[in-house]
Amino acid sequence: MNEKRLPGSTGISPRRLRFAGTGDSAHGSRGVPSFAKRAPLAVQRVPGMSATQGECAIVKALHDAIALLEKRRGDLARWDPDTQENFSAWFGTDSIKAREVIDGRIGRALKTLRHLSVQDFIPIPKPKKRGKKPSTYEAQLADWQSTYAYVYPGYTRRRLKAATVEIAVVYVGPEFASANDTTRAGTIIHEVSHFFSVGHTKDVSATFLGDPRKPDEREMYGYNKAERLSLQSPEGALNNADNFEFFIESHDPADHPLDLDGAGDFEVPPKRG
């Protein structure tokens, strides 16, 4: 399970997800996203939202995520000056190889998202207070409250009606409920990119001069750190889920000035996996 990540427009993190694999037979009509079919029973899937609200939020976020990915794939094909500049800003390179990596990841992400349903989203349970020290419970509660989502990047295989189906699950936290539409879609893009079958991205850990964070808390979450990573390690940026999300969301780094002295880079945003 990946560590939690911060939002870009958000950038945060843990994420885990359940997806059906490459076959069409298990997913109904070809070309019809399974998330368009409502779950048979009303189940709360987003902490802080009713069953209906949460289901509607997930369906919209899936549609928005697909639209963002499709647009960006078109931008890569056109390779106009704005796309070139944005690509270089978030990945530290504009090489053909890097573009092929991102284009391929977008294609696999689209394939996965079109097979997801609302039933593949599971709420992260609220920590239980009983039997815990107050300080332990409060820390766990704060951690839960600041989480958008997380996934376990690997997946399992099981037999279903004589077909082998890949299963992916996204675990949803309370921050998802209060996020705006772009952040919700971006969170799903971020999480899906972690899957081995999509991009096997990480929440990359790195440091820089003056970094005050503890060695085990150096994930490059958020706009400033993602931009820092692109400057110091294009390879790391290509593998960092936040950098991928911010590029797909078409964020202009100029809207998030990088403070090379470090001030302003150390805020703790909500978490994503």
Side-chain angles (χ1 to χ4, degrees), residues 24 27 29 31 72 89 104 124 145 169 179 187 193 216 242 258 260:
D24 291 312
H27 309 300
S29 301
R72 227 36 180 147
I124 302 170
Q145 291 172 331
V169 176
T187 294
S193 77
D216 61 346
D242 258 12
L258 179 62
L260 292 175

Side-chain angles (χ1 to χ4, degrees), residues 183-202:
T183 295
R184 288 175 182 171
T187 294
I188 290 176
I189 290 167
H190 176 119
E191 298 305 333
V192 167
S193 77
H194 283 316
F195 286 112
F196 295 167
S197 60
V198 174
H200 201 182
T201 62
K202 306 290 181 60

Side-chain angles (χ1 to χ4, degrees), residues 96-148:
I96 294 176
K97 182 178 180 180
R99 286 150 53 191
E100 289 175 345
V101 167
I102 298 304
D103 182 71
R105 186 182 300 163
I106 289 174
R108 293 187 295 272
L110 284 167
K111 187 173 184 178
T112 296
L113 288 174
R114 288 176 177 137
H115 285 80
L116 285 179
S117 97
V118 293
Q119 294 161 292
D120 299 319
F121 290 76
I122 297 175
I124 302 170
K126 184 177 180 179
K128 295 183 178 180
K129 188 173 183 179
R130 183 167 180 163
K132 297 174 182 173
K133 295 180 180 180
S135 59
T136 299
Y137 171 73
E138 289 170 6
Q140 291 179 349
L141 182 63
D143 188 61
W144 175 76
Q145 291 172 331
S146 66
T147 297
Y148 284 94

Side-chain angles (χ1 to χ4, degrees), residues 17 35 57-73 105-114 116 121 176 180-193 244-245 247-250:
L17 176 89
F35 63 73
I58 289 169
V59 168
K60 183 174 186 343
L62 283 167
H63 277 290
D64 290 348
I66 287 173
L68 285 169
L69 287 162
E70 287 178 334
K71 180 183 182 303
R72 227 36 180 147
R73 199 172 202 187
R105 186 182 300 163
I106 289 174
R108 293 187 295 272
L110 284 167
K111 187 173 184 178
T112 296
L113 288 174
R114 288 176 177 137
L116 285 179
F121 290 76
F176 192 88
N180 61 34
D181 288 346
T182 299
T183 295
R184 288 175 182 171
T187 294
I188 290 176
I189 290 167
H190 176 119
E191 298 305 333
V192 167
S193 77
F244 179 64
E245 176 192 343
F247 172 71
I248 299 301
E249 292 176 341
S250 300

